[in-house]
């Protein structure tokens, strides 16, 4: 019924060693080296197990140029943006003069802790001596052991009273009451 000679279709041989996977492997290896958080290092190490038998990308630009945006690579879209940022130091932002900014990723808990410490220093500077990440405290004085590092330590100047504060940053879950987070009691 159909003329098979009129329907010409070619397929490439399936291989896991494609540019996308090579770039992901190179990104994981780089993150494993530069990560300071042990959980991130462990996660990168575990994910690298899935890329056994895949070569690491040696020429990022060439592998990025080889990526074709089609239905076979649709799942790679987001991760390819991240690999480019991490491997080449690019940013997601383009400026009007065509320059690309370096991307810096921050741990939100550290940003929050620093913000809170700066605000407390600002508002209590007249009567209190405020220090953040203070390493001069120990759990035991004799023997001096188990160094503590409280987020914020406040000492009142006039009576030498000490207040220790711990900051916590949490990502709040989506609330079903119209998207507004609230406290119910």
């Amino acid at each position: 019924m159909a003329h098979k000679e009129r329907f010409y279709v070619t397929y490439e041989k399936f291989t896991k060693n494609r540019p996308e996977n090579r770039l992901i492997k190179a990104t994981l290896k780089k993150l494993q080296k530069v990560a300071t958080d042990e959980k991130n290092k462990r996660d990168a190490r575990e994910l690298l197990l899935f890329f056994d038998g895949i070569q690491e990308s040696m020429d990022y630009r060439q592998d990025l140029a080889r990526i074709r945006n089609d239905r076979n690579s649709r799942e790679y879209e987001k991760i390819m943006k991240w690999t480019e940022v991490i491997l080449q130091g690019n940013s997601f932002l383009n400026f009007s003069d065509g320059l690309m900014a370096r991307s810096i990723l921050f741990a939100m808990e550290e940003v929050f802790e620093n913000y809170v410490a700066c605000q407390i220093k600002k508002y209590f500077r007249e009567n209190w001596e405020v220090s953040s990440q203070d390493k001069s405290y120990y759990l035991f004085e004799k023997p001096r052991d188990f160094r503590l590092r409280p987020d914020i330590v406040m000492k009142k100047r006039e009576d030498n009273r000490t207040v220790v504060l711990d900051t916590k940053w949490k990502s709040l879950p989506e609330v079903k009451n119209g998207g507004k987070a609230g406290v119910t009691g």
Side-chain angles (χ1 to χ4, degrees), residues 108-126 128-134 149-155 163-169:
M108 285 308 298
E109 61 273 8
E110 290 178 31
V111 172
F112 181 74
E113 286 175 9
N114 289 334
Y115 173 77
V116 170
C118 286
Q119 293 301 311
I120 288 176
K121 286 178 184 178
K122 179 178 170 183
Y123 289 107
F124 292 97
R125 67 177 167 234
E126 290 180 23
W128 295 80
E129 181 184 323
V130 181
S131 61
S132 60
Q133 301 298 319
D134 196 326
R149 197 177 79 185
D151 292 334
I152 300 169
V153 177
M154 299 174 60
K155 288 187 180 180
V163 177
V164 177
L165 302 171
D166 184 40
T167 57
K168 293 290 180 217
W169 178 86

Side-chain angles (χ1 to χ4, degrees), residues 2 9 16 26 28 35 42 68-69 71 73-74 92 111 131 143 145 147-148 157-158 166:
V9 179
K16 293 192 308 184
L28 288 169
R42 185 177 61 247
R68 302 286 175 244
N69 291 326
R71 63 184 174 89
S73 64
R74 200 168 289 135
F92 292 117
V111 172
S131 61
D145 206 4
R147 183 185 298 262
L148 301 175
R157 289 192 176 102
E158 52 194 49
D166 184 40

Side-chain angles (χ1 to χ4, degrees), residues 3 11 31-32 34 36 52 54 58 80 86 91-92 110 127 143 150 163 166 168-170 183-184:
H3 293 278
Y11 294 97
L31 289 174
Q32 190 179 15
V34 300
T36 56
D52 192 36
I54 296 172
M58 295 300 161
M80 286 301 103
I86 293 166
S91 171
F92 292 117
E110 290 178 31
N127 299 324
V163 177
D166 184 40
K168 293 290 180 217
W169 178 86
K170 297 286 181 198
V183 177
T184 59

Side-chain angles (χ1 to χ4, degrees), residues 22-159:
R22 289 194 298 268
L23 289 164
I24 293 170
K25 184 171 185 173
T27 303
L28 288 169
K29 284 192 157 213
K30 182 173 184 177
L31 289 174
Q32 190 179 15
K33 290 176 189 172
V34 300
T36 56
D37 182 59
E38 285 303 316
K39 183 186 179 315
N40 289 339
K41 285 183 179 185
R42 185 177 61 247
D43 288 347
R45 207 172 27 253
E46 288 174 7
L47 288 170
L48 278 168
L49 295 174
F50 292 103
F51 293 88
D52 192 36
I54 296 172
Q55 299 168 350
E56 180 181 346
S57 177
M58 295 300 161
D59 187 349
Y60 308 142
R61 292 182 198 277
Q62 186 179 20
D63 276 342
L64 284 166
R66 287 183 179 159
I67 295 172
R68 302 286 175 244
N69 291 326
D70 58 17
R71 63 184 174 89
N72 295 326
S73 64
R74 200 168 289 135
E75 278 89 29
Y76 286 100
E77 254 180 71
K78 284 184 184 177
I79 197 163
M80 286 301 103
K81 289 177 184 176
W82 279 105
T83 59
E84 185 173 4
V85 167
I86 293 166
L87 293 173
Q88 293 186 331
N90 292 337
S91 171
F92 292 117
L93 303 174
N94 284 317
F95 294 98
S96 59
D97 56 2
L99 294 175
M100 299 293 277
R102 280 185 89 68
S103 176
I104 302 174
L105 305 176
F106 295 100
M108 285 308 298
E109 61 273 8
E110 290 178 31
V111 172
F112 181 74
E113 286 175 9
N114 289 334
Y115 173 77
V116 170
C118 286
Q119 293 301 311
I120 288 176
K121 286 178 184 178
K122 179 178 170 183
Y123 289 107
F124 292 97
R125 67 177 167 234
E126 290 180 23
N127 299 324
W128 295 80
E129 181 184 323
V130 181
S131 61
S132 60
Q133 301 298 319
D134 196 326
K135 296 178 184 175
S136 63
Y137 294 94
Y138 291 85
L139 185 58
F140 301 110
E141 287 300 320
K142 291 184 181 178
R144 206 162 212 207
D145 206 4
F146 297 107
R147 183 185 298 262
L148 301 175
R149 197 177 79 185
D151 292 334
I152 300 169
V153 177
M154 299 174 60
K155 288 187 180 180
K156 191 146 190 181
R157 289 192 176 102
E158 52 194 49
D159 61 5

